[in-house]
Amino acid sequence: MTNNTDRCLVIIPTYNEKENIESIVRYVFGLSHPFDILIIDDGSPDGTAAIVKRLQTEFSQLHLVERQGKLGLGTAYICGFKWALEHDYDYVFEMDADFSHNPDDLLRLHKACHEEGADLAIGSRYVTGVNVVNWPMGRVLMSYYASKYVRIVTGMKVHDSTAGFVCYSKKLLSAMELDKVKFKGYAFQIEMKFTAVQMGAKVTEVPIIFTNRVLGTSKMSGGIFSEAVFGVIRLKLDSLSRKYPQINA
């Protein structure tokens, strides 16, 4: 039986997502467990924020933070995490706006934390093979081998270290030193998981199917990828001299 008294917040960063934002908001609010949503919009010129404001008149559990310009995925999530802790949410989720993450899987990530005791549940594309739909083969291979590379360099047992569909417990997020998170692009996802592991968090991977976006344009770039490649080495080296808070000691 799902406990509906725990408070769940889904953070969705947006930049030019007018084609997707209303559909994703309505879908999440239609799920069997109550979720609040926080949109972090980086000054989308296409009017994404205006659509969110219109929807706020219909949904009291929809929240919006507007930022000026593209400040990076990592800073958007850090902003969202701090907002979630200030507002005392029990579970905090990361999810894309473009339906590449199936909102139904929010329920499975929530269960992994709330019922099965995980501090961090990762919606994993690679824990049971390669579960990616409609990606060009080059991108599939790049993503898959990037995760393999991260496992080798960091020693993490996580199969999908770059996953952007996750659930954090309040216990983990509140103990994390969020101001020490360095990376702004997709390396941010690796850094957060690596930090959780270093903190002794219970981390689990929930198999999902990732479907490439149909509407709007991808924000992936070569610079983002190179940050991940070189950032992982820096992350590992820095960890040798850093003392991490332990949450399950």
Side-chain angles (χ1 to χ4, degrees):
M1 180 90 179
T2 304
N3 175 9
N4 284 352
T5 60
D6 60 314
R7 301 185 67 228
C8 296
L9 180 71
V10 181
I11 301 172
I12 303 177
T14 55
Y15 184 79
N16 286 352
E17 292 290 355
K18 69 176 182 182
E19 297 96 342
N20 295 302
I21 193 63
E22 180 162 357
S23 299
I24 200 85
V25 165
R26 291 189 182 281
Y27 198 117
V28 171
F29 287 149
L31 293 171
S32 58
H33 185 85
F35 293 91
D36 287 10
I37 297 175
L38 173 64
I39 306 295
I40 312 274
D41 187 69
D42 273 6
S44 298
D46 72 346
T48 298
I51 297 170
V52 175
K53 287 174 183 171
R54 172 171 58 77
L55 291 169
Q56 282 183 303
T57 64
E58 185 178 344
F59 298 108
S60 62
Q61 64 272 44
L62 177 61
H63 310 281
L64 173 66
V65 171
E66 291 184 87
R67 307 196 306 167
Q68 300 306 310
K70 293 180 74 172
L71 302 176
L73 184 76
T75 65
Y77 276 127
I78 295 297
C79 170
F81 294 153
K82 290 180 176 179
W83 192 97
L85 292 171
E86 286 168 12
H87 293 82
D88 203 29
Y89 284 91
D90 299 296
Y91 299 103
V92 183
F93 301 76
E94 297 180 8
M95 190 174 77
D96 290 349
D98 61 9
F99 284 94
S100 54
H101 302 140
N102 183 343
D104 291 328
D105 289 328
L106 288 169
L107 302 170
R108 297 169 62 229
L109 293 174
H110 173 255
K111 182 183 178 189
C113 287
H114 181 65
E115 295 181 26
E116 296 163 15
D119 302 302
L120 168 58
I122 301 167
S124 178
R125 298 164 290 185
Y126 305 128
V127 72
T128 58
V130 179
N131 292 316
V132 176
V133 177
N134 293 339
W135 257 11
M137 183 51 69
R139 188 167 172 192
V140 172
L141 292 173
M142 184 175 79
S143 175
Y144 179 75
Y145 284 108
S147 284
K148 289 279 190 191
Y149 165 78
V150 171
R151 290 187 78 187
I152 292 165
V153 174
T154 64
M156 274 199 298
K157 299 295 189 283
V158 174
H159 291 85
D160 193 354
S161 54
T162 59
F165 193 21
V166 297
C167 174
Y168 294 92
S169 69
K170 176 169 68 175
K171 180 174 76 167
L172 175 56
L173 274 187
S174 58
M176 268 191 175
E177 298 165 311
L178 294 174
D179 288 330
K180 291 187 178 180
V181 176
K182 294 185 177 76
F183 296 115
K184 293 181 168 60
Y186 280 77
F188 162 82
Q189 301 292 5
I190 302 167
E191 183 175 5
M192 289 294 290
K193 294 171 187 68
F194 181 75
T195 302
V197 169
Q198 297 297 113
M199 291 172 66
K202 182 182 176 185
V203 180
T204 189
E205 290 187 84
V206 176
I208 63 157
I209 295 173
F210 180 98
T211 305
N212 197 27
R213 65 161 64 234
V214 175
L215 300 172
T217 55
S218 172
K219 314 304 186 290
M220 179 66 86
S221 73
I224 285 170
F225 186 65
S226 64
E227 180 198 53
V229 170
F230 297 110
V232 170
I233 297 170
R234 199 170 112 206
L235 204 56
K236 179 63 177 177
L237 292 174
D238 288 351
S239 73
L240 301 176
S241 58
R242 179 176 166 187
K243 188 168 172 54
Y244 294 83
Q246 297 299 298
I247 67 162
N248 289 317

